[in-house]
Amino acid sequence: MTTAAVPGTSTTAAAPDSLTTVFVRLKLSLLRNGLRQSSGRTAVYVTSIVISALFGALMLLGFVLLREYADADSIAILLTAVLALSWAVMPLFVPSGDETLDPSRLVMLPLRPRPLVRALLVASLVGTGPGFTLLVGLGAALALARGAGGVVVAVLAVPLVVLVCVALSRAVAAANVRLLTSRKGRDLAVLSGLVIAVGFQVVNFGAQRLSRSGGLSTLEPVTAVIGWLPPASAVAAVESASTGDYARAAGQLLLTVLALGALLYWWQRSLVKLMTAPDGSTIGAAPDSGSGRASTGLLGRLLPGGRTGTVMERSLRYIWRDPKTKASWVTSLAIGAIVPIVNALQGAGSVYWACFASGMLGMLMYNQFGQDTSAFWMVAQTISTPADAYAELRARALTLLLITVPFTLLVTTGTALVSGEWSSLPDALGVAFALLGAMLGVGTVTTALYPYSIPQDNAYKNVAPGQGGLAWISILGGMLAAAVLCAPVIGAAVYLHVADGHSLLWILLPLGTLYGALALWGGLRFAAPRTARRLPEILAAVSKG
């Protein structure tokens, strides 16, 4: 009987390949076989290689042109630190981007941790990410290296930067592999777009502050601190050696080497724990309490009784547990707070920017039934009359108000605090509450008239195929309808400002609040009978895909 040859091993009497060689060949085989699956995947991968190589080459050229720039050290050191931070957080947001990131695939193999770490580290150097990092590290070293001492340190610093970045990424992935393969890990993947959006806002704000404060020279204190944090310390060592401070350069290089050793040790310990510790699949379930029903806890006691409390509790649990619902809420809350406050910090906005938060949160009422996906059939069994539909939609709206009203109040107050427009706080709150009520009222109508399904098998797809038109009508049409519905309150605010009626602006707070409540009530009254009448169509639409 013959045995199948394992890739990377020999069937003859010759000495087998080392574990490192086997893993490198395995990585290449995974890449090659993955590209053979479809021409589209091949095109995407080749395109990513070209873009990474082009961008890396441009970065390298840019660093070379910075050699004579006075603040080249700040740029090189800070960009290296940002690159390392990207390596650290990327496994948390894209856990499925590289199949070799999951060391749990190796737990059944008779491998020792130390050789395994060495083999995985070398195999990890194969890919577009390490290649791009190599170009950036080489450019940073070329921008700072001067003299024989600087060149020698640069030769040591560039591979250290690449190794520390790769080891950091793998250590984070190994330490969180069970999180990344769980529901909470999928939550992180869905929220990655939010982190990118927030990051762009922070970078934009920082760039504007730098342009006002006199350039990169103001970053020298930050650069001095970052220069002692690996792997940026390796790039800082090149600058130190180029200026003749060899003791400082040696200390920064030594710190980088120690950090690399610590990361490899952390990685090894994580692998040992992964291969020996039990996970949730091998731990018995908790014993039944014997009560015969699930306890609602404090949340159930705080909410009203009857159908209203049941629907509110269900909606709140969806917000906390469902990845896509949670992502929508976190994104709306974060962007709704960032945009007004950042504009106020930049001096380019007013307290009325807080209405942006009302708009973002009001959109969460749109397509309420679609957020339930196929589970909506259980809700549909409880709706037989317009009164049932009214109670269902009202409870969902109350759930949103439970969060959106205090959040709108907080954002509006914070924007007024930052911008210094305390006198405009009451009227801005009135307009914000009116807009929020109008958005919620229109949202109940679009929920009944234009429902669509939200796929659960794709974290980045929010509309089922063939329902894009429904989604556009629901969202864009609903936003326009809410703006038109809120026009009287907005017009009153504009008129009082133009007519110099500042002493009467406070009346917009009770007026806007009442108007928003009436808009929501009207939307509920309009949507309830149509929901009950169109229930089969709604169920079919939200269950698609």
Side-chain angles (χ1 to χ4, degrees), residues 150-474:
V151 172
V152 170
V153 174
V155 172
L156 299 174
V158 173
L160 277 176
V161 169
V162 179
L163 290 174
V164 169
C165 287
V166 174
L168 176 61
S169 175
R170 293 296 170 145
V172 171
N176 297 279
V177 63
R178 285 176 179 163
L179 168 67
L180 299 179
T181 54
S182 66
R183 178 176 57 84
K184 292 185 180 296
R186 293 191 291 271
D187 292 353
L188 287 174
V190 173
L191 295 177
S192 58
L194 170 63
V195 175
I196 295 174
V198 173
F200 274 122
Q201 288 285 348
V202 173
V203 170
N204 178 46
F205 178 66
Q208 292 194 9
R209 291 295 296 268
L210 282 176
S211 63
R212 296 175 184 174
S213 59
L216 292 172
S217 59
T218 57
L219 290 177
E220 290 182 0
V222 179
T223 304
V225 175
I226 299 296
W228 286 97
L229 299 178
S233 55
V235 176
V238 179
E239 171 68 14
S240 299
S242 299
T243 57
D245 194 348
Y246 297 110
R248 182 186 180 92
Q252 290 169 325
L253 276 181
L254 178 60
L255 183 61
T256 308
V257 173
L258 292 176
L260 177 59
L263 288 172
L264 294 177
Y265 179 75
W266 179 29
W267 187 4
Q268 178 179 325
R269 293 286 296 177
S270 299
L271 289 176
V272 172
K273 182 179 179 181
L274 180 67
M275 294 179 175
T276 58
D279 60 7
S281 62
T282 60
I283 299 177
D288 190 4
S289 62
S291 62
R293 65 181 181 87
S295 174
T296 58
L298 179 62
L299 178 62
R301 292 194 296 270
L302 292 177
L303 296 176
R307 180 178 186 133
T308 299
T310 302
V311 175
M312 291 181 69
E313 183 174 359
R314 184 186 69 222
S315 300
L316 290 172
R317 292 188 185 278
Y318 275 175
I319 294 171
W320 181 251
R321 293 179 177 179
D322 181 64
K324 286 201 170 183
T325 305
K326 181 188 293 185
S328 300
W329 270 94
V330 174
T331 302
S332 298
L333 291 172
I335 297 180
I338 289 173
V339 170
I341 293 178
V342 168
N343 276 278
L345 285 171
Q346 294 174 348
S350 69
V351 68
Y352 282 96
W353 267 102
C355 295
F356 187 85
S358 300
M360 290 294 298
L361 296 174
M363 290 178 61
L364 295 172
M365 189 66 194
Y366 290 37
N367 195 36
Q368 275 287 308
F369 298 147
Q371 296 176 23
D372 295 351
T373 62
S374 58
F376 177 68
W377 74 270
M378 298 182 66
V379 177
Q381 304 305 312
T382 67
I383 300 176
S384 57
T385 64
D388 294 334
Y390 182 85
E392 177 74 25
L393 291 170
R394 182 186 61 186
R396 292 175 182 246
L398 289 175
T399 305
L400 268 71
L401 290 173
L402 191 65
I403 303 173
T404 56
V405 169
F407 183 79
T408 301
L409 177 62
L410 182 64
V411 171
T412 308
T413 304
T415 306
L417 175 64
V418 174
S419 63
E421 300 180 8
W422 282 108
S423 59
S424 298
L425 178 59
D427 48 290
L429 266 178
V431 175
F433 285 151
L435 178 60
L436 178 61
M439 293 287 290
L440 295 182
V442 174
T444 61
V445 176
T446 60
T447 292
L449 299 182
Y450 305 107
Y452 56 90
S453 177
I454 301 177
Q456 297 297 301
D457 57 348
N458 191 320
Y460 303 100
K461 184 183 293 185
N462 292 315
V463 182
Q467 293 186 328
L470 284 173
W472 281 107
I473 293 175
S474 175

Side-chain angles (χ1 to χ4, degrees), residues 16-186:
D17 293 336
S18 67
L19 185 62
T20 301
T21 304
V22 171
F23 269 77
V24 172
R25 294 176 61 185
L26 179 62
K27 179 67 175 286
L28 294 174
S29 297
L30 286 173
L31 290 175
R32 183 173 60 253
N33 294 336
L35 295 179
R36 288 176 178 175
Q37 292 181 2
S38 67
S39 57
R41 185 169 182 174
T42 302
V44 170
Y45 187 74
V46 172
T47 302
S48 67
I49 292 178
V50 172
I51 293 176
S52 298
L54 180 61
F55 191 55
L58 291 176
M59 292 282 290
L60 177 61
L61 178 61
F63 275 122
V64 172
L65 296 176
L66 286 175
R67 282 182 60 85
E68 304 303 326
Y69 188 59
D71 296 318
D73 57 337
S74 296
I75 297 175
I77 293 172
L78 293 178
L79 281 181
T80 304
V82 171
L83 182 63
L85 180 62
S86 301
W87 274 96
V89 301
M90 192 59 67
L92 299 178
F93 294 141
V94 194
S96 59
D98 187 350
E99 292 175 334
T100 62
L101 272 176
D102 186 2
S104 62
R105 299 171 182 264
L106 310 173
V107 296
M108 300 302 294
L109 299 179
L111 302 173
R112 294 185 179 275
R114 185 172 298 177
L116 179 60
V117 167
R118 182 171 60 248
L120 286 173
L121 178 62
V122 176
S124 300
L125 297 176
V126 179
T128 56
F132 176 78
T133 304
L134 177 63
L135 290 175
V136 174
L138 180 61
L142 290 176
L144 303 180
R146 292 175 180 81
V151 172
V152 170
V153 174
V155 172
L156 299 174
V158 173
L160 277 176
V161 169
V162 179
L163 290 174
V164 169
C165 287
V166 174
L168 176 61
S169 175
R170 293 296 170 145
V172 171
N176 297 279
V177 63
R178 285 176 179 163
L179 168 67
L180 299 179
T181 54
S182 66
R183 178 176 57 84
K184 292 185 180 296
R186 293 191 291 271

